[in-house]
Amino acid sequence: MLSIILMGPPGAGKGTNAKRIASEYKIPHISTGDMFREAIKNKTPLGELASSYINQGLLVPDEVTIGLVKERLSKADCDKGFLLDGFPRNIAQAEALSKIGEEIKKPINYVINLVVDETILIDRISGRRVCKTCGAPYHIKTMKPSKEGICDLCGGELYQRKDDNEETLKSRLHEYHLQTEPLIEYYKSLNVLRDVNGSQDLDVLFNEIKEILKGE
Ligand code: AP5
Ligand code: MG
């Protein structure tokens, strides 16, 4: 069982690295942000509720998010492991996750924290483009697709996320410091947290992560 939480502030590279890890270890990549964006795209009631929070850079209420993750982790494709990206995002979600883990017998065994300087985060978010179809992230300067505006992986159209603007980013960073950062101490005290430098070259970073997961 390889169950990983990938943590970090907005723009730290959770989505980018999660895709590599999930594909290398053949485990599902579970991103609550992607799940909400999918619901928004499909205009479901969940999407309608989530969009009002996401567009303001605020967290979607815990009862909604926790229920969504519990349902997802209960599926059979998570039996051999999973990678959580963007969940948990506060202490209440972390405590709920630990309870869910006990209930469905899928405990977390690694928490990887991507550490990135705030000035870099702002640059990354403002230049990010995302595939409309598969969610793969690109960057207009540092991670260009081979063909402008088109996803290398699936040929989908690239777009800029609605919450990737200066004002919403301020509020996302504020929420991160207020609600999510305390999880670093929480997981440190449980002896499962591993910090990695999220501003280095992606291949170097991936080797570091593989070193942490060695033996899995
Ligand atoms: P979510 O979708 O999780 O957004 P986020 O946490 O703000 O993080 P991002 O997706 O913006 O960044 P990332 O770390 O994935 O970086 P990426 O790999 O794309 O959440 C969105 C919203 O949904 C929240 O604000 C909230 O409202 C709601 N939500 C989600 N989960 C929730 C929860 N649990 N509870 C309540 N609400 C929730 O990389 C960024 C850019 O940098 C890319 O362009 C990439 O190409 C580039 N890049 C990455 N790494 C490198 C590198 N090493 N070198 C060069 N470029 C790099
Ligand atoms: Mg992401």
Side-chain angles (χ1 to χ4, degrees), residues 146-164:
S146 351
K147 205 168 153 203
E148 203 189 318
I150 304 291
C151 177
D152 288 345
L153 303 176
C154 75
E157 188 191 331
L158 304 187
Y159 80 111
Q160 184 165 31
R161 261 169 52 178
K162 207 173 165 188
D163 59 344
D164 279 356

Side-chain angles (χ1 to χ4, degrees), residues 12-213:
K14 299 182 295 296
T16 305
N17 292 287
K19 285 198 184 300
R20 289 184 165 210
I21 302 168
S23 131
E24 171 86 11
Y25 295 93
K26 300 185 176 53
I27 50 176
H29 167 202
I30 302 171
S31 155
T32 38
D34 285 350
M35 288 160 94
F36 291 136
R37 280 183 288 277
E38 184 66 21
I40 294 170
K41 190 168 86 184
N42 295 329
K43 299 191 167 63
T44 67
L46 170 70
E48 214 159 283
L49 180 129
S51 69
S52 58
Y53 293 93
I54 293 180
N55 294 341
Q56 294 179 74
L58 301 173
L59 295 191
V60 176
D62 285 347
E63 57 272 25
V64 177
T65 313
I66 292 167
L68 190 71
V69 171
K70 184 173 183 183
E71 194 186 310
R72 181 65 188 88
L73 292 182
S74 304
K75 294 198 171 152
D77 66 339
C78 296
D79 285 354
K80 291 209 177 83
F82 51 84
L83 171 66
L84 285 168
D85 154 4
F87 183 94
R89 246 179 158 94
N90 58 26
I91 300 283
Q93 291 183 8
E95 286 174 345
L97 177 63
S98 138
K99 219 168 119 212
I100 294 168
E102 280 171 29
E103 272 170 33
I104 61 172
K105 306 215 164 22
K106 294 176 186 173
I108 297 296
N109 36 47
Y110 294 93
V111 181
I112 298 177
N113 181 38
L114 294 167
V115 180
V116 181
D117 205 69
E118 197 139 321
T119 50
I120 299 181
L121 298 176
I122 296 168
D123 261 8
R124 285 189 180 175
I125 295 274
S126 49
R128 174 169 55 187
R129 298 293 180 273
V130 183
C131 175
K132 252 185 192 166
T133 312
C134 74
Y138 294 87
H139 192 279
I140 52 168
K141 288 188 198 140
T142 57
M143 276 176 55
K144 292 183 186 176
S146 351
K147 205 168 153 203
E148 203 189 318
I150 304 291
C151 177
D152 288 345
L153 303 176
C154 75
E157 188 191 331
L158 304 187
Y159 80 111
Q160 184 165 31
R161 261 169 52 178
K162 207 173 165 188
D163 59 344
D164 279 356
N165 61 71
E166 208 177 318
E167 204 188 317
T168 313
L169 177 59
K170 258 190 212 152
S171 134
R172 285 160 65 196
L173 286 168
H174 178 76
E175 287 286 279
Y176 170 77
H177 292 305
L178 195 72
Q179 304 220 43
T180 313
E181 215 166 32
L183 287 179
I184 296 177
E185 282 310 313
Y186 175 88
Y187 283 118
K188 244 184 210 164
S189 71
L190 296 176
N191 278 324
V192 285
L193 188 92
R194 298 294 297 263
D195 281 340
V196 291
N197 171 4
S199 39
Q200 57 191 331
D201 173 82
L202 282 169
D203 291 335
V204 177
L205 175 54
F206 190 46
N207 281 332
E208 217 173 280
I209 292 174
K210 281 199 285 198
E211 199 55 40
I212 293 174
L213 304 177

